[in-house]
Amino acid sequence: MNGFLFLNVHHHGPKPSQKRLGFFIDHRSARMAACDFYRVHRTIFITRNTTSPTRQTMSDWPWRWLWRAIVLTISETSSSVDSALSFWERVEYVAEAFVILGCVGEYLAEFTNLLPKSPIDRREQCNKISLLLLTAALAVELAALFQTNNLSGIEIARLQVVAEKAREHAAELESLFAPRRLTGTQKAEALRSLSKYSGISVDLFALAQEDRPSTVEAADFGRDVVEGLGAFMDVRGHTGMGCQSWPVVGVLVEAVQDLSPDRYAAGELLQFFKSTGFEVVPYVPPVQVPPCAAFLEMPRNTTKHSDHKGWAKVVIIIGKRAATLIKPSADKVH
């Protein structure tokens, strides 16, 4: 539950002053803030009013600042603000009706002969009553207008916070469901951390998925990887045709199980994908080419041609994107 904490700050000095500060905070923080202000104020008062000759009283404090935290109102829920706003709007409408009634009375007293002058001057009485009614109604309307504007400002501030949270949640959801891509910064990071394995042969396979959008997403991500690693490695990209079911989620890095540079390069590749935030299979199994009827080689943005024959000793398999688990927001759980 969110609300507003209003504080009155008094300055006792040669020129006494008072300021009112407002903070949009949640209900728990409001209670904690009020308690903290009370403890601080009480500690200062006890410290400054000790009988020790080295201490000064609070009235002799050089800057004479005395902070008093007074919780004037905390709107615990948005419904309370809405109900208060609706109430003051109705008060404003009623006051406006009495303003019109006072104007009608003024008109009857000044411009018509409907009210008798004898034995009692009803016109004069109606004129005075209408003037008093008009003045009081205008005063009430002005007060209601002030309260309405104040509550409208509170409601606008609350809605701005809600809108900001909605934008943050939308950006978070967009990042969760965004297709995997290798950015220019990540490609530069790959060049910096993996350039020592320059010339290592790598085969990459982008597997066909259960639907066309997922297949296109995996192929695009595979092309990004081929382009990024192909700047210093001998990388070939492949898309499979007529593949059997191959349950790979995320990125799978395979390599020969020996102490060759290819095996160390596979481990570094696994760490690179993990550090960039992509879902990976957390180990390096032996090389196993996906069971597909045929493979179509991806185009490469490089003029040099691959010279390795057969399958490489390092294989990267682009599987399906990991399913996103959306957890409920903490502020929705009570």
Side-chain angles (χ1 to χ4, degrees), residues 157-170:
R158 185 187 68 83
L159 292 177
Q160 287 177 348
V161 173
V162 173
E164 182 63 27
K165 289 185 177 180
R167 283 191 292 267
E168 292 176 358
H169 292 164

Side-chain angles (χ1 to χ4, degrees), residues 5-10 21 23 25 29-45 66-71:
L5 174 65
F6 292 96
L7 304 177
N8 274 354
V9 181
H10 300 268
L21 306 178
F23 304 92
I25 55 179
S29 299
R31 289 186 296 179
M32 293 176 63
C35 294
D36 290 342
F37 259 90
Y38 171 76
R39 287 195 294 266
V40 171
H41 169 264
R42 185 173 180 272
T43 303
I44 293 175
F45 185 81
L66 175 61
W67 298 82
R68 295 180 181 177
I70 304 175
V71 180

Side-chain angles (χ1 to χ4, degrees), residues 189-231:
E189 176 63 23
L191 177 61
R192 185 190 65 80
S193 60
L194 300 172
S195 59
K196 57 186 176 182
Y197 298 107
S198 178
I200 293 291
S201 298
V202 178
D203 277 311
L204 181 141
F205 298 92
L207 299 181
Q209 306 300 324
E210 62 273 6
D211 54 58
R212 179 171 177 77
S214 299
T215 302
V216 172
E217 187 270 341
D220 290 340
F221 180 49
R223 278 189 286 269
D224 285 346
V225 175
V226 170
E227 181 181 352
L229 300 181

Side-chain angles (χ1 to χ4, degrees), residues 7 18 32 52 57 59 68 71 114 125 141 156 161 169 173 197 215 246 257 292 300 310 325:
L7 304 177
Q18 176 179 343
M32 293 176 63
S52 173
T57 61
S59 60
R68 295 180 181 177
V71 180
L114 297 178
Q125 289 182 346
E141 184 181 3
I156 291 173
V161 173
H169 292 164
L173 289 176
Y197 298 107
T215 302
W246 191 258
Q257 303 299 305
C292 298
R300 298 192 298 173
L325 179 61

Side-chain angles (χ1 to χ4, degrees), residues 77-97:
T77 60
S78 59
S79 60
S80 62
V81 177
D82 294 337
S83 60
L85 183 61
S86 177
F87 169 76
W88 285 108
E89 285 178 348
R90 289 194 295 268
V91 171
E92 192 174 351
Y93 295 149
V94 172
E96 187 67 29

